[in-house]
Amino acid sequence: MSTENEGNEVPPAPSAPPVPVASPASPQDSAPEGNEPTAPLPPVPQDAPATAGNQPGRPDTPHPSGSAPDGSWPPPPPATPPYGEGPFYGAAPAGTGAAGGFGGAGGAGGWGASYQQPAPKPRSGRGGLVAAVLVAALVAGGLGGGLGYTLAKNNDSNGSTTVSASDGSASQVRRAPGTIANVAAKALPSTVTIEAQSTNGEGGTGTGFVFDTQGHIVTNNHVVADALDGGKLTATFPNGRKYDAEVVGHAQGYDVAVIKLKNPPSDLKPLALGDSDKVAVGDETIAIGAPFGLSNTVTTGIISAKNRPVASSDGSSSSKASYMSALQTDASINPGNSGGPLLNASGAVIGINSAIQSTSSGGFGSGQSGSIGLGFAIPIDQAKYVAQQLIKSGKPVYAKIGASVSLEDSANGAKITDQGAAGSAAVESGGPADKAGLKPGDVITKLDDMVIDSGPTLIGEIWTHKPGDKVTITYSRGGQEHTTELTLGARIGDS
């Protein structure tokens, strides 16, 4: 499954998640159709509301008896175009976007002044439509508010059956432990909005959370990538406190990074870490982040799948894909949520929000795609191990089998290639795969009891383990199935 972590397309990845043997496959959520047409505005009445007598600018209303109008009556002034004819009232001029809607045609008169038809101007498709919608909402809101105030004023002396709450009631509301509001209130003070800027001024926004009392913050690698090599990094807490920070270590393959606050405060409260292995499909989830720069946003959902093989990338030419056996959630996750915590119902971190599955086109008003209910988080058990390694040595440590596999989405397994990267041997001499008897052309179909359908799936599953772990490999050679045991080796760094 290919995903994107900041709105960019990425290389192909596995089509299906690995599932335990003899276990039913997890149901997959279907993505909604993208770019649904915007609903048209309802037709605007052609006649303005009637007032006492005949309306200025309109033909005189025939007398009920059918007699002709009094000839001494002054002739009507020049006709004013009926409300709703011509261009939308308040439509944005070309190039002004939605903000043009607030200007409208109201420069000359106050509320209720006669409307003068503006000179026709070209509109920029959606910009004009949005402007019209905004003005329609403003007009409807103003009219409704005025009528409501008048009715309330007229009926004020008739008595009321409503009961007003006391002024202090808001502060007396108690939200029970385990409620979303309670979890959010406790977790928000330990999350930060991260701004990363490169030396040439480019950058972006992401999220992180407090890992320990020493000032370490855990986030995604792609969140801090712009600040590497001399860039600027800041972290802002919900209370407005802002700190400069530096990158302690980053792991591109895991898409995990650790930064440290400069001069951290003494009252830091690390978020409690949960156990991602014990998460079940259907468990409630709470995500905190800064989607599209909107800091301290809380969204909710459930775990919709586990062990989802995901390959993601930030889309840059120098970027290598990250692989994970992810927790899938339908909590709304968008660009800017990256690096933020995915919490369970008790407020413990079970994952790091990292990637989304999105439609091919960007969302309205943005070049980036948004949430369609398929978000992916790095399991916290894996992220915790990676973060500890980064704090300890500044470099990531990856488990490996010592063999190169094809990254094509074959759906038949992970095939060991005939040749490795840069002309090296496909099976590392003396490495774990070599010692276990694996050879080029072998197709790995299972790792322990997890089904392997492609190279990226195998990589993501291997990286859920630690160097030194013993695993059972099932593979196919010449149409025959074989099983072997191997001890995972270690690779240090992203090279």
Side-chain angles (χ1 to χ4, degrees):
M1 175 178 295
S2 298
T3 64
E4 51 189 56
N5 49 30
E6 285 297 329
N8 299 304
E9 295 186 1
V10 296
S15 59
V19 295
V21 175
S23 298
S26 301
Q28 296 190 16
D29 298 337
S30 60
E33 294 292 330
N35 296 325
E36 291 293 333
T38 304
L41 287 175
V44 181
Q46 295 301 308
D47 296 326
T51 58
N54 295 331
Q55 281 189 285
R58 287 217 178 268
D60 293 335
T61 305
H63 192 274
S65 64
S67 60
D70 185 352
S72 63
W73 187 260
T80 300
Y83 178 77
E85 292 185 3
F88 281 113
Y89 173 58
T96 61
F102 292 98
W111 178 264
S114 61
Y115 167 65
Q116 299 298 323
Q117 178 72 23
K121 295 182 180 180
R123 294 198 307 271
S124 56
R126 289 182 173 180
L129 178 59
V130 171
V133 172
L134 288 175
V135 172
L138 284 172
V139 172
L143 180 60
L147 290 175
Y149 173 76
T150 302
L151 291 174
K153 182 178 180 181
N154 291 340
N155 294 324
D156 187 55
S157 60
N158 296 332
S160 174
T161 58
T162 61
V163 179
S164 298
S166 62
D167 292 340
S169 62
S171 61
Q172 297 172 3
V173 174
R174 294 184 178 180
R175 294 173 174 86
T179 60
I180 295 170
N182 181 270
V183 170
K186 291 183 177 180
L188 274 167
S190 297
T191 63
V192 296
T193 298
I194 298 172
E195 294 182 19
Q197 191 175 58
S198 66
T199 53
N200 61 10
E202 295 181 354
T205 301
T207 309
F209 63 91
V210 177
F211 188 68
D212 58 27
T213 58
Q214 285 71 50
H216 291 110
I217 305 292
V218 172
T219 185
N220 282 143
N221 172 75
H222 72 263
V223 168
V224 304
D226 285 323
L228 300 174
D229 302 322
K232 183 180 179 181
L233 198 64
T234 61
T236 305
F237 285 85
N239 61 7
R241 291 187 302 177
K242 188 173 185 177
Y243 298 87
D244 290 332
E246 59 185 357
V247 177
V248 172
H250 62 103
Q252 190 173 46
Y254 290 122
D255 198 17
V256 174
V258 176
I259 67 175
K260 187 175 183 180
L261 305 178
K262 297 179 179 179
N263 301 315
S266 59
D267 59 349
L268 289 176
K269 294 182 179 179
L271 289 181
L273 305 183
D275 187 342
S276 50
D277 279 346
K278 294 181 179 179
V279 171
V281 172
D283 282 353
E284 292 180 314
T285 57
I286 302 169
I288 299 179
F292 296 105
L294 301 174
S295 301
N296 316 318
T297 296
V298 177
T299 54
T300 65
I302 62 168
I303 293 292
S304 52
K306 292 181 62 176
N307 303 315
R308 185 71 76 190
V310 170
S312 64
S313 171
D314 63 12
S316 65
S317 58
S318 60
S319 173
K320 296 180 181 178
S322 301
Y323 300 97
M324 68 186 92
S325 183
L327 297 176
Q328 178 181 302
T329 180
D330 66 349
S332 182
I333 294 174
N334 289 286
N337 275 105
S338 293
L342 184 68
L343 310 171
N344 61 18
S346 65
V349 182
I350 54 174
I352 300 177
N353 301 317
S354 182
I356 59 173
Q357 180 73 34
S358 68
T359 54
S360 58
S361 61
F364 173 68
S366 170
Q368 295 175 317
S369 299
S371 172
I372 57 172
L374 291 171
F376 305 98
I378 304 165
I380 195 59
D381 291 358
Q382 177 182 357
K384 177 183 176 181
Y385 165 75
V386 176
Q388 289 172 336
Q389 291 294 326
L390 293 175
I391 293 172
K392 180 179 179 181
S393 66
K395 294 183 179 180
V397 179
Y398 297 91
K400 69 172 187 177
I401 64 170
S404 297
V405 295
S406 172
L407 298 181
E408 294 180 0
D409 188 5
S410 65
N412 296 319
K415 182 179 180 179
I416 299 178
T417 57
D418 294 328
Q419 194 173 43
S424 62
V427 177
E428 178 186 327
S429 178
D434 186 29
K435 291 179 180 178
L438 294 174
K439 298 179 179 180
D442 290 346
V443 179
I444 298 173
T445 56
K446 276 192 272 185
L447 191 151
D448 289 334
D449 58 350
M450 301 304 295
V451 174
I452 303 299
D453 62 0
S454 67
T457 302
L458 176 64
I459 295 171
E461 189 59 32
I462 289 172
W463 287 354
T464 65
H465 292 75
K466 299 178 179 63
D469 286 353
K470 291 184 178 181
V471 296
T472 300
I473 298 292
T474 302
Y475 64 97
S476 173
R477 178 187 296 169
Q480 300 294 319
E481 186 175 271
H482 304 272
T483 300
T484 185
E485 259 195 10
L486 63 77
T487 301
L488 295 173
R491 173 170 66 85
I492 299 176
D494 279 313
S495 58

